[in-house]
Amino acid sequence: MTGMDAEISFEARAYQACISGLKRQWSGPLYRQVVDLAGTNCDAKGIEQNLRKDSRYQVFGWLEHYLQQFKYLGRWGMLTEFTPQEEKLAKLLADAAAIEPDRLDLDPDMALPDYFCVGDFHQHPGGIWSDAHDAFAYEWGATLTTPMSADHGDLHDRFAGLVNEMAAPENILDQACGFGKTTLALKSLLPDARVTGSDVAGPCLMLGHKRAVEAGLDIRFVQCPVEDLRFDDSSFDAVTGSMLLHEMPPSAIRASLIEARRVLKPGGLYAQLDFYDVPGGEVGRFFHNGHSARNREPYMMSLIKMDLAGELEAAGFEDVAIVPFEEGAGALDNGPDLPHQWRFPWTLITGRAKP
Ligand SMILES: C[S@@+](CC[C@H](N)C(=O)[O-])C[C@H]1O[C@@H](n2cnc3c(N)ncnc32)[C@H](O)[C@@H]1O
């Protein structure tokens, strides 16, 4: 169970289960009603006109915005529950950091990217970079990210499986690893590979280190931004990332591609799992952009407008492929048409470092 080191009251568990139930209603039956109302063959303006005054659309938007806020800040929200436990949680991370200390390389002087600090990404108040309780809340919150998928963890395992099939890498950098979901999946699958996770958020790296130590996995965690990786040229044969690109403005994505190319060996695999190819044409984009605005994910919108294939090629990659990626067990309709349920447009983006 995630958040297992923090105390979670019965009330908080029940409250979060209610929020999940409501998210299922929002992403299923309610979504289908508003999609029907949106109409076909309209541009974004026409869709908005069709929906604007309808109370079902208003409730849809309200739930999309506020359920996420309630998740963190409500009476039994995750931060309400974990903030008073900061001292205990910080000690847990510090104690874990003392085990295999060589595997955790934090940089207290590292400057956080400006865009990273300005807003509360996906409405996590105060961000995930400063306190221990934020990392634990983020870990717990991640279990509710995809309300329609029965097994979110499956996503990271399948991504790791694809990376293995494509490259069987021996030395992997999982960038922007958070608390290590993909990183741990990679190391579990490839026990002989050297696996490194990097991120800007110190507490998340400490939690990833703790989880790796608990799982008996030898993973190195290094604090650095993807635009300025603290690794030598040509040092990895795969650079991976999950759910990173939609958190960065285009200029930062470009800089990160150049850095990824620099640290990859020629022929090395670049693989990102993110939200890019939005199914369902204009209606799909309308709801995707609406989610971006209502859930404070400002760069989701700019990402889908980017020519990622062209950017990768310009940064020195070849064999670029951009394909849909199935959400997971129980997910529906992973094709070019509008999905039957609201879902993130998971996309697998890969390329090879040009020799
Ligand atoms: C949505 S989380 C995904 C975490 C992890 N990859 C996963 O799949 O669970 C995005 C992560 O990107 C990190 N991040 C955002 N901008 C970054 C940057 N410029 N450099 C490094 N990490 C960054 C955040 O700290 C956060 O941990």
Side-chain angles (χ1 to χ4, degrees):
M1 195 194 95
T2 50
M4 61 189 144
D5 320 271
E7 283 162 34
I8 306 176
S9 65
F10 166 78
E11 290 85 348
R13 288 178 204 279
Y15 173 83
Q16 295 296 339
C18 284
I19 290 183
S20 288
L22 280 167
K23 276 202 173 182
R24 284 200 172 83
Q25 286 300 310
W26 162 80
S27 64
L30 188 54
Y31 168 80
R32 283 194 288 278
Q33 285 192 42
V34 289
V35 160
D36 285 347
L37 292 167
T40 45
N41 301 324
C42 297
D43 61 9
K45 210 168 161 198
I47 296 168
E48 215 212 323
Q49 267 167 7
N50 291 346
L51 292 177
R52 180 184 274 160
K53 294 203 175 120
D54 192 284
S55 53
R56 284 160 290 188
Y57 177 60
Q58 289 163 4
V59 171
F60 177 85
W62 190 92
L63 286 173
E64 191 168 36
H65 180 65
Y66 284 106
L67 287 179
Q68 183 77 353
Q69 270 191 25
F70 297 159
K71 181 170 112 172
Y72 291 114
L73 289 179
R75 169 69 182 82
W76 290 288
M78 291 174 179
L79 292 181
T80 317
E81 195 77 355
F82 283 176
T83 306
Q85 299 182 47
E86 172 63 25
E87 203 175 321
K88 172 190 154 181
L89 296 174
K91 181 168 181 331
L92 285 172
L93 293 187
D95 288 351
I99 307 169
E100 307 288 359
D102 295 348
R103 295 186 194 163
L104 183 62
D105 184 350
L106 298 179
D107 178 4
D109 299 326
M110 187 206 67
L112 289 165
D114 291 346
Y115 61 84
F116 183 69
C117 315
V118 288
D120 296 337
F121 277 95
H122 41 76
Q123 302 194 69
H124 186 128
I128 55 169
W129 63 84
S130 53
D131 294 312
H133 68 260
D134 289 317
F136 283 92
Y138 179 43
E139 184 188 39
W140 186 10
T143 62
L144 306 176
T145 306
T146 53
M148 65 296 289
S149 173
D151 182 1
H152 184 58
D154 173 53
L155 191 90
H156 300 267
D157 291 337
R158 285 182 302 111
F159 178 48
L162 271 173
V163 170
N164 183 30
E165 274 169 35
M166 293 180 78
E170 290 173 0
N171 198 349
I172 309 168
L173 171 64
D174 183 39
Q175 54 178 10
C177 65
F179 57 90
K181 289 196 85 173
T182 294
T183 335
L184 268 73
L186 284 162
K187 183 66 185 177
S188 304
L189 186 70
L190 295 158
D192 296 331
R194 285 186 62 197
V195 177
T196 304
S198 69
D199 201 288
V200 282
C204 290
L205 290 166
M206 292 178 85
L207 183 57
H209 172 74
K210 178 170 163 52
R211 296 293 178 237
V213 167
E214 286 162 354
L217 296 173
D218 177 356
I219 299 174
R220 188 169 166 236
F221 288 94
V222 178
Q223 189 171 23
C224 59
V226 288
E227 303 94 314
D228 189 12
L229 295 170
R230 290 166 54 204
F231 307 106
D232 292 338
D233 294 2
S234 305
S235 46
F236 296 97
D237 33 38
V239 169
T240 61
S242 49
M243 293 183 269
L244 163 70
L245 301 180
H246 76 277
E247 294 211 349
M248 293 195 294
S251 57
I253 293 176
R254 281 183 200 110
S256 79
L257 293 178
I258 289 165
E259 271 297 84
R261 171 65 194 87
R262 180 183 69 75
V263 301
L264 269 171
K265 292 175 192 161
L269 176 72
Y270 176 81
Q272 293 283 335
L273 188 58
D274 220 296
F275 316 136
Y276 184 62
D277 261 344
V278 181
E282 201 65 60
V283 178
R285 278 192 293 280
F286 181 85
F287 284 99
H288 182 76
N289 290 340
H291 183 80
S292 171
R294 288 187 282 268
N295 204 35
R296 286 221 188 103
E297 299 269 21
Y299 304 118
M300 261 184 164
M301 285 191 242
S302 45
L303 176 62
I304 66 168
K305 287 190 195 140
M306 283 181 84
D307 168 16
L308 265 190
E311 298 287 356
L312 273 154
E313 277 155 18
F317 292 94
E318 60 187 7
D319 297 338
V320 174
I322 299 184
V323 294
F325 187 87
E326 277 186 36
E327 170 138 324
L332 299 169
D333 307 319
N334 196 51
D337 299 331
L338 200 65
H340 193 56
Q341 282 185 295
W342 186 94
R343 68 169 173 81
F344 286 116
W346 293 102
T347 308
L348 180 68
I349 300 135
T350 56
R352 298 270 174 189
K354 272 189 205 157

